[in-house]
Amino acid sequence: MDAAMDDAPILFFDSGVGGLSVVAPTRVLLPRAPIVYAADSAGFPYGIKSEAEIAARVPALLGRLVERYRPRLVVIACNTASTIALPVVRAALDVPVVGTVPAIKPAAALSRSRVIGVLGTEATVRQAYVDDLAARFAGDCTVLRHGSAELVRLAEAKLAGATTDPARYRAVLGGLFDQPEGARIDVIVNACTHFPLVAAELAAAAPAGVHFVDGGPGIARRIAFLTEGQGWPAGESVHRAVFTRLGDAERALAPALADYGIGTIEGL
Ligand code: DGL
């Protein structure tokens, strides 16, 4: 790659701040990679939208973002957008695209009780894609699902600096544990990228011994593999966030973004 290509960023895309749970393990593996973090704040939340809305919105938006930032790689750091729109996005863009897949395979490898919980958005947990993963990788497990828009809001609120109520996390997890066989769940898949951002709150609300897994570390390894041998900027990399709507709510996220090394915020 020439010097201009060395500067080409990796573009992470989500509806909100959830994709930061993928940025964090990626930065550990690729500390010199420049990052553009794109959040579709004008379209947030995705989890309560229809398949048609997401399939139309995400490829169009990513097309604009790729034109503007010329990334070397796009990461759809959002399970909802990935499970619905990944093939369409791949067909529309001429850069490699990495998607986010619910971590059912590692969950099945970890479970002793053979009862797994999948916690995602409503849109993600109803996808046939999740049925396929469950059949392929957890065929001998009971896979219980729960979709929660509230947990997405709690994660956004936490990163905006608000104090969130522990009772709300217990109520969300009740959506899994209160199902038939739910009491036997020993592994929960965080199948929404927002949820690892409230890992401590979820762990405190769950019965002792329940493990949580998410796709972040696996996606980071995939990104490192796909960029192996590529050059990176010589000096300190600049990381930026871009929001499709930039108002007070988005500006309130500045300290949280700074925690992930992202110091510049702009609108699309
Ligand atoms: N972070 C997203 C996901 O992984 C979606 C959150 C939302 O907008 O509902 O599914």
Side-chain angles (χ1 to χ4, degrees), residues 14-227:
D14 184 33
S15 58
V17 290
L20 293 172
S21 70
V22 184
V23 167
T26 304
R27 289 202 60 208
V28 172
L29 295 185
L30 300 171
R32 292 170 58 210
I35 284 160
V36 173
Y37 186 83
D40 184 11
S41 45
F44 174 88
Y46 280 2
I48 54 172
K49 287 191 160 39
S50 70
E51 281 73 1
E53 281 174 284
I54 291 166
R57 185 175 183 91
V58 172
L61 202 45
L62 278 168
R64 284 174 63 198
L65 288 161
V66 165
E67 210 170 275
R68 176 142 156 192
Y69 294 103
R70 303 272 167 213
R72 67 181 75 200
L73 183 81
V74 168
V75 183
I76 305 184
C78 172
N79 287 266
T80 310
S82 295
T83 51
I84 295 170
L86 187 58
V88 199
V89 170
R90 283 205 169 119
L93 301 183
D94 58 2
V95 284
V97 182
V98 176
T100 312
V101 170
I104 290 175
K105 191 179 175 182
L110 200 63
S111 174
R112 287 170 174 272
S113 70
R114 310 316 280 159
V115 183
I116 292 169
V118 176
L119 198 56
T121 64
E122 283 120 311
T124 294
V125 298
R126 68 171 177 251
Q127 294 310 309
Y129 195 90
V130 178
D131 301 327
D132 285 355
L133 289 172
R136 278 169 61 202
F137 301 118
D140 67 331
C141 295
T142 299
V143 180
L144 304 176
R145 307 168 191 201
H146 179 59
S148 175
E150 183 176 16
L151 197 49
V152 175
R153 280 196 302 274
L154 286 166
E156 289 278 333
K158 177 187 169 183
L159 266 69
T163 305
T164 53
D165 178 0
R168 299 317 311 155
Y169 298 92
R170 284 196 293 275
V172 168
L173 289 178
L176 284 174
F177 290 115
D178 296 345
Q179 292 184 36
E181 289 202 71
R184 293 179 50 225
I185 291 172
D186 64 347
V187 183
I188 293 176
V189 180
N190 275 332
C192 168
T193 53
H194 277 76
F195 301 168
L197 302 175
V198 288
E201 290 81 352
L202 285 171
V210 171
H211 299 278
F212 288 83
V213 296
D214 69 89
I219 300 160
R221 285 194 297 275
R222 180 81 189 140
I223 297 167
F225 172 77
L226 289 174
T227 56

